[in-house]
Amino acid sequence: MFAYINGIVTLIQEDVIVIDIQGVGYEINCANPYEFQEYLNKKTLVYTYHHVREDVMNLYGFKTEDEKNLFIKLISVSGIGPKSAILILGTVNVNDFISAVESEDEKYLTQFRGVGKKTARQIILDLKGKLTSLQTLETSGLFDQSTDSTAISEAEEAFLALGYRQQEITAILPELRKSELLNVNEVIKLGLSLLVKK
């Protein structure tokens, strides 16, 4: 149900975008909503996953089918819900993530918000050997990122401590990931220069 939605992006917020289809606004949760900034007030296609529980119905949106498939694999893990999966997708370097699962690197996996040692172990148990087909994500355009996700996470915490809003930080994350910087201090320096321009 709702494999994708094709409409006009009318609103972009910290966690969601709204797409209008014939006067009906669909609120869609996204890992990085500001990646749709170029489509604001334009028509675009968003791949979606419709998550239904007894008391909640949510739409989760993705730029590519591969990103959607990774999300589906993540929520198949016991202890990983849609919110945790979206948080992971927002900062993940796909090849690093796959390597961590294959090498059973629990330390790497626990850097993501909401992932403790128990959940990291469950990710490894459930997904090892099942993610190699997703390595093409790294060159798909959405995940053309090289900066280490640990450095990104540390820089994000630094920006929050300095008083920047999550919305401002989220807007510069794609540029930070593409920077190929490995040193967290360099990432912070670049991030501050970008935040000043916003």
Side-chain angles (χ1 to χ4, degrees), residues 7 9 11 13-14 23 33 36 53 59 73-74 86-88 90-91 98 102 105 132 138 167 176 178 181-182 184 186:
V9 180
L11 180 66
Q13 295 182 325
E14 186 174 324
F36 291 92
R53 288 192 328 209
L59 276 174
K73 286 185 181 294
L74 283 170
I86 280 289
L87 284 174
I88 292 172
T91 55
I98 293 170
E102 294 303 313
D105 186 351
T132 51
E138 198 66 27
Q167 180 177 339
L176 292 182
K178 294 176 183 178
L181 297 174
L182 299 177
V184 65
E186 294 177 343

Side-chain angles (χ1 to χ4, degrees), residues 20-186:
D20 179 273
I21 300 177
Q22 297 181 346
V24 177
Y26 291 84
E27 187 175 84
I28 303 173
N29 297 273
C30 300
N32 293 306
Y34 290 96
E35 288 184 334
F36 291 92
Q37 187 71 44
E38 63 183 299
Y39 301 109
L40 187 60
N41 298 319
K42 297 178 182 177
K43 191 171 184 178
T44 190
L45 185 147
V46 180
Y47 295 95
T48 55
Y49 177 85
H50 190 208
H51 179 69
V52 181
R53 288 192 328 209
E54 290 182 6
D55 54 340
V56 175
M57 287 196 301
N58 283 320
L59 276 174
Y60 292 88
F62 315 93
K63 266 195 165 184
T64 69
E65 283 189 284
D66 281 339
E67 187 194 11
K68 175 181 174 179
N69 289 335
L70 179 56
F71 174 85
I72 291 171
K73 286 185 181 294
L74 283 170
I75 63 173
S76 72
V77 176
S78 177
I80 297 285
K83 289 184 179 179
S84 294
I86 280 289
L87 284 174
I88 292 172
L89 282 171
T91 55
V92 73
N93 177 297
V94 177
N95 281 343
D96 287 350
F97 185 84
I98 293 170
S99 295
V101 172
E102 294 303 313
S103 63
E104 302 187 14
D105 186 351
E106 294 181 26
K107 184 177 180 181
Y108 175 89
L109 295 173
T110 54
Q111 74 180 290
F112 299 108
R113 294 177 190 173
V115 178
K117 289 185 177 181
K118 183 179 178 181
T119 303
R121 191 65 205 162
Q122 195 64 50
I123 290 173
I124 292 166
L125 288 172
D126 290 355
L127 298 184
K128 186 174 181 180
K130 299 178 181 178
L131 296 176
T132 51
S133 64
L134 296 175
Q135 285 183 304
T136 55
L137 279 170
E138 198 66 27
T139 56
S140 68
L142 180 65
F143 290 108
D144 53 347
Q145 54 198 47
S146 300
T147 302
D148 181 75
S149 56
T150 302
I152 292 290
S153 296
E154 291 180 14
E156 189 174 356
E157 290 176 8
F159 300 144
L160 288 169
L162 289 170
Y164 289 99
R165 292 177 295 121
Q166 185 64 54
Q167 180 177 339
E168 296 174 298
I169 298 168
T170 301
I172 67 166
L173 289 181
E175 293 178 73
L176 292 182
R177 293 195 192 97
K178 294 176 183 178
S179 67
E180 299 186 4
L181 297 174
L182 299 177
N183 184 289
V184 65
N185 291 327
E186 294 177 343

